[in-house]
Amino acid sequence: MPDRRSTPQLVGLAILALIALSFQVSVSWEMLDWQIHAAERPRFPFMLSVPSGELEYLEPEATEVGLKKGFKLVSIDGRPARGLGSPCEAVRGRKPGDVLSVLAEGPNGPMSATVKLRPEGAMSTRAWVVTAFLKFLTPWFCLLLGFSIAFLRPRDPLAWLLLALLLSFASISEGDAAGAVILSWSGWTRRLATLWLPFWTSTWGLWMMLFGQYFPDRQSSALFDRIARWVLGLPILLMAPITAALSAMAAEDATAWAGLQSAARRFAWVFLVLSMVAIGTFFMNISMKMFRSQGDARRRLRLLYGGASIALTPLFLLVLWSLLRRTDLGNAPEWILLPSLVALFLFPLTLAYVIVVEKAMELKVALRQGIQYALATGGVRALQVILSAIVIVVALRMASDPTLRRPQQMQMLALGFLFVMVMRRVAGKLRVWIDRRFFREAVNLERVLGDLSEQVRGIVETGPLLETVTGSISTSLHVPRVTALLASNGDFAPVRSTGHAIPPPVKFSRSGALAGELQRTRHALRVSQVNPEPWVEAERERLEKLSAELLLPLTVKDRLLGFLSLGPKLSEEPYSATDVRLLQSVASQTGLALENSRLTEAVASEVAQRERLNRELEIAREVQERLFPQSGPKIDGLDYAGGCRPASSVGGDYYDFVPTCDGRLGIAIGDISGKGIPAALLMASLQASLRGLAISNPPALAAMMTNLNRLIYDTSPSNRYATFFYSVFNPKNRELMYVNGGHNPPMIFRGTEVIRLEQGGPVVGLFGPAQYDQAIVTLQSGDLVLMFTDGVSEAMNAAEDEFGEEQMIAAVLAKPELTPTEMIAHLMRAADEFAAGAPQHDDMTLVVVRVV
């Protein structure tokens, strides 16, 4: 959508374009009609002079009836005729053979005459060429170029200045021919036109001077510019509307304003000198900027200076010649005048080339290419048509020349036809070259860089990715030096470089001006050494080592990963807007690919670390399994077994069978708080402490538990503890002495009776000083003792319902005849069936003892 801030400028442009195009259409149509129907239209029998309004430029049909130069025109066909437009208006609409009744006042008094109008006659070759180039091609070219750029950049003062320059040059090129056309009009149309045309014609020097000061930017002396604007520009700006007003007055009534006209003509040389000096400052400003600039800016200025010099110097010399000879410019020799006038077309053509093709002003990509294509291919076609028309007209005129013999006339026709055929072939080849030069390479570039954008998505390694990107950009755009810089240790440093033997030893701080500008804009930045930005000044030395001309940020979301530095092209052409757009797309895809590469490397590192951790956990699991009793001593009258299934690789549950020196058997089961490696370490510590205490003092279980609690409390963090049950079985009297340290009470199954072993104290390792009580129970033949951790009783299904002790008791009573090993498997299977595949988050440990 267009910027709302540009609305006033766009409205003003639309109004100005409507006025300019209406004027130009009317003038061009009139001149085209004169050119086509020259034999059917009458010529003006005489014109009026400025400022006196007397007759001058009399044709033979006027002098034959007695009218002479210097007579004052009184009326035409009975209507008062004092203005310069009166003769032109009277002839308008007439045909050759019609008559004009003229009343004029001579030295001997008033006289009447009847003037018979005669046809205009066929145009000369010079007239054809001049009309084609200056009256049609040049003004329309100027209008289309000026308004196209102004509508693209409505808020750019330079675009408005260019438009004014081209409007004034269009008026200059049309000259007297347009003046004669508008004098034949009548009413407000003529009044407005006689204001419009002289104003733009008079201000050409002003616009040339200002354009030289401001294009492509202000580099010349500010003092000199200010002096020139006041001394030259202000008088021209003040005198131009006066000149236009006087022209409009003279068109209506030359006699009434003769005094003002005479005064103005006396100072006309001042206006001419001011205009010529103003045009001279244009060349001076451009030359000064040309010597101060470098690279692309200098090349553009050189083109503009050369093109303007070739276009305007011949006419300037002719003007000097006419001033020195005090003669009319049209009296110059045709072989000098004709090329000088045709050369004028080079001036707007040079402006167009410098601005559109050389990209001196940033235009939108699509429209710039459209203008460029129109100038390239359309210009070739127009040149072909104009040259062919000129040759055909010349050949026909020479073929009809009675002074030439018939064979010579045929030769002229044959040469003209041959020239047209050759011109057609040359124009066709030229259009093919232009298409290849300006468009086919652009299409190939877009395809190549588009393929590169797709290609980088599949590269996940940083080295090959940057090698592919830098190499493809260098090959596609013919850029010798391309460097990729990525973040490293807080700086951006080169990691891949094309065109350098080794990457340049430069670093850019992440907090520096360049990184800040890339982070802020996240768009391509052009590096200008002529008018550097502040961030260029801050990093000038390092950027010169990179030969940087264009910087492309490599970003992901709000993070700047690095940037690409592109040096100048081999052709020394600047990077076009199309180049930048395509390169920005490549940079965006490269940034995403770099992030993918980083994530891939991180994932690979994490996978490797996880594999190492899994291996370590596997070793820990193997070690933990070896900590569990592999087999217990054979105790008369006792059958026992234990089993543990960790929820993860290593668990925090513990069971053990500890033989004593007096033939007793210690049976332990515990549940360490937490999971994983910390719980496993505490479990190993608990086992070591238990075995050391149990061997030294088997009968005093309460004292042993107190010491065990102190040891675990002192060697473990405050959030680590264990529920612990320890018992000692005496096979001689079948007594089971036990202490329960906050563990799930084991159960003695005696028939259908269930006895819980609850006597003891708090959990182990949570409190420093702790007291425990021991108890003794006498087992009977057939009793089954079940010890378990809460991982079994609290096994959950998908609905988060617990297996519970009641269902566990029911499972035991359902098959009381099973051996301890079979009972462990039976209970594990019952818990699994209840969970129905729901994941379990706690270890499951069982110890079963049967008295036989």
Side-chain angles (χ1 to χ4, degrees):
M1 294 181 64
D3 191 345
R4 292 185 178 181
R5 296 175 296 177
S6 303
T7 301
Q9 291 88 341
L10 290 173
V11 172
L13 267 178
I15 295 173
L16 186 61
L18 179 62
I19 296 172
L21 293 177
S22 300
F23 173 81
Q24 195 59 50
V25 166
S26 302
V27 171
S28 296
W29 179 257
E30 289 275 351
M31 288 193 292
L32 182 63
D33 187 61
W34 282 4
Q35 193 166 353
I36 295 175
H37 303 98
E40 303 172 14
R41 297 190 58 155
R43 64 188 179 189
F44 303 132
F46 49 79
M47 298 294 288
L48 301 184
S49 64
V50 179
S52 61
E54 297 173 348
L55 295 179
E56 66 175 358
Y57 301 115
L58 278 75
E59 298 290 349
E61 58 268 29
T63 58
E64 290 172 0
V65 296
L67 297 177
K68 296 180 180 180
K69 185 177 181 179
F71 283 16
K72 286 188 175 295
L73 183 64
V74 178
S75 65
I76 299 178
D77 290 336
R79 299 172 59 186
R82 301 185 184 88
L84 299 182
S86 299
C88 302
E89 185 180 359
V91 173
R92 184 180 180 86
R94 303 293 182 94
K95 296 180 180 180
D98 293 347
V99 297
L100 294 178
S101 297
V102 178
L103 177 61
E105 185 174 349
N108 301 321
M111 65 163 291
S112 299
T114 300
V115 181
K116 186 176 182 180
L117 300 178
R118 295 181 184 178
E120 184 72 37
M123 296 182 67
S124 64
T125 302
R126 184 184 70 177
W128 269 96
V129 174
V130 172
T131 301
F133 271 93
L134 296 184
K135 315 306 179 186
F136 289 102
L137 184 61
T138 301
W140 278 107
F141 185 85
C142 291
L143 262 64
L144 293 178
L145 177 64
F147 280 109
S148 297
I149 295 176
F151 273 109
L152 290 178
R153 301 179 65 86
R155 303 182 71 237
D156 187 351
L158 186 59
W160 284 84
L161 187 55
L162 176 65
L163 174 60
L165 175 60
L166 291 171
L167 284 174
S168 63
F169 190 81
S171 302
I172 288 282
S173 67
E174 290 177 312
D176 294 338
V181 168
I182 63 177
L183 284 176
S184 67
W185 298 346
S186 60
W188 283 104
T189 305
R190 181 172 65 191
R191 296 186 184 99
L192 293 176
T194 50
L195 286 171
W196 173 271
L197 185 66
F199 173 79
W200 291 111
T201 304
S202 304
T203 54
W204 183 42
L206 171 65
W207 310 128
M208 286 285 288
M209 179 188 70
L210 294 178
F211 192 77
Q213 292 180 0
Y214 289 95
F215 178 84
D217 47 43
R218 296 191 63 185
Q219 295 183 31
S220 58
S221 170
L223 177 61
F224 173 78
D225 287 349
R226 288 197 298 270
I227 293 174
R229 286 196 293 270
W230 282 102
V231 174
L232 301 175
L234 184 60
I236 294 175
L237 188 61
L238 293 176
M239 295 172 68
I242 297 175
T243 302
L246 290 176
S247 298
M249 294 173 185
E252 300 301 322
D253 193 340
T255 304
W257 305 101
L260 287 176
Q261 295 285 351
S262 298
R265 288 179 70 87
R266 281 196 296 270
F267 293 98
W269 66 273
V270 177
F271 188 81
L272 179 61
V273 170
L274 289 175
S275 297
M276 294 182 69
V277 174
I279 295 172
T281 64
F282 163 82
F283 288 98
M284 186 173 63
N285 269 298
I286 296 299
S287 63
M288 290 171 62
K289 294 179 182 180
M290 183 172 62
F291 286 112
R292 293 178 181 178
S293 301
Q294 297 177 352
D296 298 325
R298 186 172 187 177
R299 183 176 64 252
R300 296 185 189 110
L301 291 168
R302 188 186 297 120
L303 285 170
L304 178 60
Y305 186 87
S309 299
I310 295 173
L312 302 179
T313 299
L315 185 62
F316 173 74
L317 295 176
L318 282 177
V319 171
L320 287 180
W321 175 83
S322 64
L323 289 175
L324 293 175
R325 296 286 299 270
R326 295 186 177 182
T327 184
D328 189 79
L329 191 64
N331 294 327
E334 185 170 320
W335 63 274
I336 296 178
L337 181 62
L338 187 61
S340 300
L341 294 177
V342 173
L344 285 176
F345 180 65
L346 289 177
F347 179 69
L349 192 63
T350 302
L351 284 175
Y353 187 85
V354 170
I355 290 172
V356 178
V357 178
E358 288 295 321
K359 312 172 189 70
M361 293 176 65
E362 287 295 328
L363 307 178
K364 293 180 180 178
V365 175
L367 293 177
R368 183 187 64 77
Q369 286 189 339
I371 296 174
Q372 181 177 342
Y373 184 78
L375 292 176
T377 59
V380 171
R381 292 184 184 276
L383 186 62
Q384 176 189 355
V385 170
I386 292 171
L387 290 178
S388 299
I390 293 173
V391 170
I392 291 173
V393 170
V394 172
L396 290 175
R397 287 177 59 84
M398 297 185 70
S400 60
D401 190 347
T403 61
L404 297 177
R405 290 178 295 177
R406 191 69 176 174
Q408 293 175 322
Q409 293 175 346
M410 296 301 295
Q411 288 177 2
M412 292 299 104
L413 287 174
L415 287 175
F417 179 77
L418 179 63
F419 179 85
V420 171
M421 293 297 101
V422 172
M423 186 63 193
R424 181 180 179 184
R425 182 179 293 270
V426 171
K429 292 184 178 180
L430 186 58
R431 282 194 297 271
V432 171
W433 179 85
I434 287 173
D435 182 66
R436 184 183 300 114
R437 170 64 178 83
F438 291 116
F439 294 93
R440 186 174 301 171
E441 288 187 359
V443 171
N444 289 341
L445 173 63
E446 185 165 0
R447 178 180 57 79
V448 170
L449 294 183
D451 292 344
L452 177 60
S453 294
E454 295 294 330
Q455 185 180 358
V456 298
R457 296 181 185 178
I459 305 177
V460 295
E461 296 183 16
T462 302
L465 169 66
L466 295 178
E467 181 178 359
T468 301
V469 171
T470 56
S472 297
I473 291 176
S474 177
T475 303
S476 302
L477 289 171
H478 306 292
V479 181
R481 293 180 177 87
V482 181
T483 304
L485 299 95
L486 297 182
S488 175
N489 298 325
D491 296 325
F492 292 105
V495 295
R496 178 70 189 179
S497 182
T498 300
H500 296 275
I502 57 174
V506 296
K507 290 185 178 181
F508 296 86
S509 173
R510 294 182 68 95
S511 59
L514 174 60
E517 187 69 12
L518 289 170
Q519 179 72 45
R520 184 183 66 83
T521 62
R522 286 184 285 174
H523 288 291
L525 297 179
R526 297 180 186 270
V527 180
S528 173
Q529 301 294 346
V530 179
N531 291 305
E533 301 285 345
W535 55 269
V536 176
E537 286 286 1
E539 312 283 1
R540 180 187 289 273
E541 183 178 350
R542 287 183 283 271
L543 289 172
E544 288 178 351
K545 289 182 179 180
L546 291 174
S547 302
E549 187 170 306
L550 186 71
L551 303 178
L552 299 169
L554 305 175
T555 59
V556 173
K557 295 184 179 178
D558 295 332
R559 292 188 298 113
L560 180 65
L561 306 179
F563 60 92
L564 296 176
S565 169
L566 277 63
K569 296 182 181 179
L570 283 175
S571 62
E572 296 186 358
E573 292 183 355
Y575 291 93
S576 67
T578 303
D579 297 339
V580 174
R581 176 175 58 83
L582 295 173
L583 289 169
Q584 188 70 51
S585 174
V586 172
S588 298
Q589 296 299 331
T590 304
L592 292 174
L594 283 173
E595 181 67 6
N596 291 337
S597 175
R598 186 190 66 80
L599 292 176
T600 301
E601 292 176 357
V603 169
S605 175
E606 184 177 351
V607 168
Q609 184 177 1
R610 185 171 297 177
E611 288 179 353
R612 289 194 300 271
L613 180 59
N614 289 338
R615 178 57 185 159
E616 292 172 357
L617 289 175
E618 182 67 20
I619 295 172
R621 185 183 65 80
E622 293 175 359
V623 171
Q624 188 180 45
E625 286 181 352
R626 296 188 66 83
L627 292 178
F628 290 121
Q630 304 301 308
S631 62
K634 184 174 181 181
I635 302 298
D636 292 337
L638 196 66
D639 187 9
Y640 61 92
C644 178
R645 188 172 72 186
S648 57
S649 297
V650 291
D653 283 5
Y654 165 61
Y655 76 92
D656 202 358
F657 304 118
V658 183
T660 63
C661 57
D662 57 357
R664 301 182 186 186
L665 178 66
I667 305 170
I669 188 170
D671 186 358
I672 312 299
S673 64
K675 303 289 184 296
I677 297 294
L681 292 175
L682 184 57
M683 172 249 186
S685 176
L686 178 63
Q687 183 200 45
S689 300
L690 172 66
R691 289 196 169 234
L693 293 172
I695 292 173
S696 63
N697 191 12
L701 297 188
M704 186 198 71
M705 285 291 285
T706 299
N707 293 331
L708 181 65
N709 174 73
R710 170 62 63 181
L711 288 173
I712 298 302
Y713 179 83
D714 291 340
T715 58
S716 64
S718 60
N719 62 340
R720 294 296 177 187
Y721 59 91
T723 65
F724 186 65
F725 178 86
Y726 183 67
S727 63
V728 176
F729 178 73
N730 187 349
K732 296 178 180 180
N733 54 13
R734 295 185 177 179
E735 289 182 348
L736 183 69
M737 183 184 301
Y738 71 90
V739 178
N740 190 337
H743 193 72
N744 303 89
M747 303 174 186
I748 300 176
F749 290 86
R750 186 172 291 165
T752 58
E753 181 184 4
V754 178
I755 302 172
R756 298 178 184 271
L757 307 179
E758 299 176 342
Q759 190 70 28
V763 296
V764 176
L766 184 60
F767 306 105
Q771 296 296 323
Y772 293 90
D773 296 327
Q774 64 185 38
I776 300 176
V777 61
T778 302
L779 301 179
Q780 299 178 7
S781 179
D783 284 354
L784 185 143
V785 181
L786 175 63
M787 305 176 189
F788 61 94
T789 60
D790 56 9
V792 180
S793 59
E794 295 178 1
M796 290 193 223
N797 58 18
E800 297 187 355
D801 296 327
E802 291 185 357
F803 180 54
E805 293 185 3
E806 297 301 324
Q807 293 193 62
M808 187 173 61
I809 293 172
V812 173
L813 295 178
K815 294 185 178 182
E817 72 282 359
L818 296 177
T819 65
T821 302
E822 294 172 339
M823 182 60 72
I824 290 173
H826 169 62
L827 292 176
M828 291 280 191
R829 188 165 51 251
D832 290 341
E833 290 175 355
F834 176 80
Q840 300 303 303
H841 304 288
D842 202 357
D843 306 331
M844 301 174 70
T845 303
L846 290 167
V847 174
V848 178
V849 178
R850 180 180 293 278
V851 180
V852 296

